[in-house]
Amino acid sequence: MKNKVQLITYVDRLGVKNINGLAELLNTELKGMFGGVHILPFFNPIDGEDAGFDPINHKQIDPRLGEWSDIKQLSSSVEVMADLIVNHMSADSIEFQDYLEKGDESEYASLFLTYNSVFPNGAAEQELVSIYRPRPGFPFNKMKFKDGSEKLIWTTFTPKQIDIDVYSEKGEAYLEDILTIYEESNIKMIRLDAAGYAIKKAGTSCFMIPETFAFIAELTEKAHRRGIEVLVEIHSYFKTQIEIAKKVDYVYDFALPVLVLDTIYNKDAGNLKKWLAIAPRNVITVLDTHDGIGIVDVASENGEPGLIPDTVLDEIVKTMHKKSEGRSLKATGAAASNLDLYQVNCTYYEALGKDDEAYLLARAIQFFVPGVPQVYYVGVFGDENDMELLAQTNVGRDINRHYYTLEEIAKNKETSLFQSLSALMKLRNRVEAFNGDFAVLDSPAENLKLKWTSGDNYIQLNANLSATTFEIEGIENGEAINFKI
């Protein structure tokens, strides 16, 4: 994968209707800004309960968006990343509906996980409470079959997302088929969605257990044989993330978003510098995504300190809500049918109080820390929370999932914020020193100096946190680099 800025986007939320429209946008309005694109679920349907993460048919592109040949054509101009949803499929899928109709006689019966298939001898109370949960309650839902019988079906996330047995014959074939389609469509990287929950074993937390690592390793090997790299998406305690990174191609640096907020809010880069000293290097960096801003990734766990002291972290969360004038509170925690207990739903721009200078500083830090940077489509324009969409759907994460029109995009392109961010992204894409050696230079806590060196070439970020300003200097093939905010 190219070490260039990547776009994270849905196909139909950037003013275009299909994959071909997205390709045209990337080659015109957004030309030169991105070396790759992570297309969020484009499977059939894109408008399920979880915005495509509950596919009825993972092997089919939603016909409203196009066909696999369109993905292959897009990949000729930018590298394409796609999700591989390994943990579950839709309750409306042909496979699960067949199971509900025929029960154990269904050819797909072994594909789905039930309480009994994981706990054939029943489960003690301690086994059940030990299951790691990203959301309230137990991961089961009682479902009725055509013959009137009922079973507890394993549903990690929602009743519409039915967990599959990835080691069953049907489960292995299902994932293999998707990988084959991806290879044929020239997809260069897959993001394993919810991979940490994929393996369930009695007597464990059912989250990132040794068997999970083994499954990820096996799936990664299958992907590599097809020329596909693997990104594992897991929110977890920072030490766990460090260990996971040792065993996979790429992980997200999910600690970075809150550490950057800490750095800018408190005008102190101390916690960020400590993280950069130990952080994995095989990372994808983000500030914003289609989900919320993760808190668990920097928090303490079981008495072990986190990357940010819990008291400071509490104040950071309060500041996010204050900076957004309370709008993020309407989409976070128990509000707006929200089930993600470890995230704050808010655009990153509003989390910084709609301060252009602070936002550009945050992006500059992201582009200078180790890793391949991704920018979420709403973040490309430094946009506000979509309270109208939130009111329509009452889904917390929709606060940061705006549907743009081409007119909105044209208007946003004229802003000084977009023009500065675009210039910063193009600088990140063209400077070869970013492929060299990284160093955090000594500086007072209220300053941050990050440097990349490759031979005689270098590029350096000098951030003044007290003034919320920065400048970039360097040498590229004998030519001076100067960029200042």
Side-chain angles (χ1 to χ4, degrees):
M1 182 178 57
K2 295 175 184 174
N3 183 19
K4 295 185 177 182
V5 181
Q6 294 190 349
L7 172 68
I8 311 172
T9 190
Y10 298 94
V11 171
D12 63 335
R13 303 197 187 203
L14 261 180
V16 299
K17 296 181 178 179
N18 53 40
I19 296 163
N20 290 334
L22 176 61
E24 182 178 354
L25 189 70
L26 288 169
N27 287 310
T28 55
E29 298 293 319
L30 304 180
K31 188 175 179 63
M33 294 173 63
F34 302 103
V37 56
H38 171 197
I39 308 179
L40 292 164
F42 47 86
F43 321 114
N44 194 14
I46 57 171
D47 49 4
E49 186 179 82
D50 195 21
F53 282 98
D54 49 345
I56 290 177
N57 189 343
H58 201 323
K59 304 172 193 177
Q60 179 189 31
I61 293 178
D62 190 308
R64 292 168 290 183
L65 301 183
E67 302 174 347
W68 287 109
S69 59
D70 299 323
I71 291 289
K72 188 170 185 178
Q73 179 62 34
L74 172 62
S75 71
S76 66
S77 56
V78 293
E79 291 184 330
V80 177
M81 180 193 301
D83 288 277
L84 179 56
I85 302 168
V86 299
N87 183 70
H88 53 263
M89 64 172 63
S90 173
D92 295 327
S93 64
I94 291 173
E95 294 89 343
F96 189 67
Q97 288 300 309
D98 188 83
Y99 179 44
L100 288 179
E101 181 178 349
K102 301 175 184 176
D104 291 340
E105 298 303 314
S106 168
E107 63 176 301
Y108 303 110
S110 65
L111 179 58
F112 301 103
L113 286 172
T114 67
Y115 171 88
N116 283 336
S117 64
V118 179
F119 301 106
N121 301 314
E125 179 180 345
Q126 187 56 44
E127 283 186 287
L128 294 177
V129 299
S130 295
I131 297 172
Y132 180 80
R133 296 291 294 126
R135 302 180 179 189
F138 290 110
F140 315 108
N141 270 274
K142 183 172 67 174
M143 297 192 181
K144 183 173 287 189
F145 288 71
K146 186 178 180 180
D147 64 2
S149 64
E150 295 179 327
K151 288 186 178 182
L152 286 175
I153 304 298
W154 203 297
T155 52
T156 294
F157 296 102
T158 74
K160 296 292 287 186
Q161 292 164 298
I162 310 299
D163 289 26
I164 65 175
D165 183 348
V166 296
Y167 278 137
S168 67
E169 183 177 344
K170 288 288 185 182
E172 289 187 344
Y174 172 73
L175 296 177
E176 284 270 12
D177 287 348
I178 298 170
L179 285 175
T180 299
I181 292 171
Y182 283 5
E183 178 186 13
E184 293 171 347
S185 303
N186 202 30
I187 288 171
K188 292 301 183 184
M189 178 175 281
I190 54 174
R191 171 185 177 273
L192 298 187
D193 176 66
Y197 304 93
I199 304 298
K200 285 79 174 176
K201 182 180 178 182
T204 74
S205 67
C206 299
F207 177 76
M208 289 312 301
I209 58 178
E211 289 81 358
T212 313
F213 284 107
F215 165 69
I216 291 172
E218 292 165 15
L219 190 59
T220 298
E221 184 179 343
K222 292 176 181 178
H224 285 175
R225 290 201 295 266
R226 293 169 168 83
I228 300 172
E229 292 182 294
V230 176
L231 166 65
V232 180
E233 183 256 351
I234 294 169
H235 281 279
S236 62
Y237 182 57
F238 78 92
K239 289 184 180 179
T240 303
Q241 196 76 293
I242 291 172
E243 291 305 309
I244 294 170
K246 295 175 182 177
K247 303 176 183 180
V248 300
D249 288 340
Y250 290 92
V251 294
Y252 283 105
D253 187 347
F254 279 137
L256 186 65
V258 179
L259 284 166
V260 171
L261 291 177
D262 171 50
T263 298
I264 294 175
Y265 286 171
N266 297 312
K267 302 186 182 301
D268 185 336
N271 291 324
L272 175 61
K273 290 177 182 178
K274 290 177 183 177
W275 172 236
L276 293 177
I278 61 174
R281 295 321 194 219
N282 56 323
V283 295
I284 302 294
T285 68
V286 292
L287 295 182
D288 46 2
T289 70
H290 60 288
D291 289 334
I293 300 170
I295 303 302
V296 67
D297 310 277
V298 296
S300 63
E301 180 177 277
N302 298 326
E304 290 288 317
L307 295 171
I308 298 175
D310 286 349
T311 53
V312 176
L313 185 55
D314 288 343
E315 289 303 313
I316 290 172
V317 172
K318 291 177 183 177
T319 303
M320 276 193 262
H321 294 318
K322 182 179 179 180
K323 293 279 188 181
S324 72
E325 298 178 340
R327 285 180 287 274
S328 56
L329 274 171
K330 298 178 180 179
T332 298
S337 303
N338 188 59
L339 295 173
D340 298 299
L341 302 181
Y342 53 78
Q343 298 180 342
V344 172
N345 288 315
C346 184
T347 70
Y348 209 78
Y349 184 62
E350 281 218 14
L352 286 167
K354 297 189 283 189
D355 181 325
D356 288 7
E357 286 72 27
Y359 186 71
L360 289 169
L361 172 57
R363 289 298 178 189
I365 294 171
Q366 180 196 2
F367 296 163
F368 266 81
V369 300
V372 178
Q374 288 188 335
V375 178
Y376 185 56
Y377 76 103
V378 176
V380 171
F381 305 111
D383 225 332
E384 301 176 6
N385 289 319
D386 191 335
M387 303 308 291
E388 184 177 338
L389 182 60
L390 175 65
Q392 289 174 5
T393 66
N394 198 39
V395 174
R397 288 175 291 181
D398 278 348
I399 199 171
N400 192 26
R401 294 180 176 181
H402 183 64
Y403 286 87
Y404 286 94
T405 64
L406 288 176
E407 290 74 21
E408 283 180 296
I409 291 173
K411 183 178 179 180
N412 283 329
K413 280 193 64 183
E414 296 303 314
T415 66
S416 60
L417 175 61
F418 176 87
Q419 292 171 11
S420 295
L421 180 57
S422 175
L424 191 59
M425 293 165 74
K426 291 174 181 177
L427 179 71
R428 175 63 175 77
N429 288 340
R430 72 172 174 81
V431 173
E432 282 298 319
F434 283 112
N435 296 306
D437 298 317
F438 172 75
V440 179
L441 304 183
D442 289 338
S443 64
E446 65 272 15
N447 294 115
L448 180 64
K449 295 186 177 184
L450 307 177
K451 185 176 184 179
W452 289 88
T453 307
S454 179
D456 294 332
N457 298 322
Y458 81 94
I459 188 163
Q460 181 174 320
L461 172 68
N462 301 310
N464 182 333
L465 304 177
S466 297
T468 320
T469 59
F470 70 90
E471 61 180 11
I472 295 170
E473 61 176 291
I475 298 291
E476 175 89 337
N477 298 325
E479 297 288 330
I481 298 171
N482 292 290
F483 189 100
K484 189 174 182 180
I485 290 292

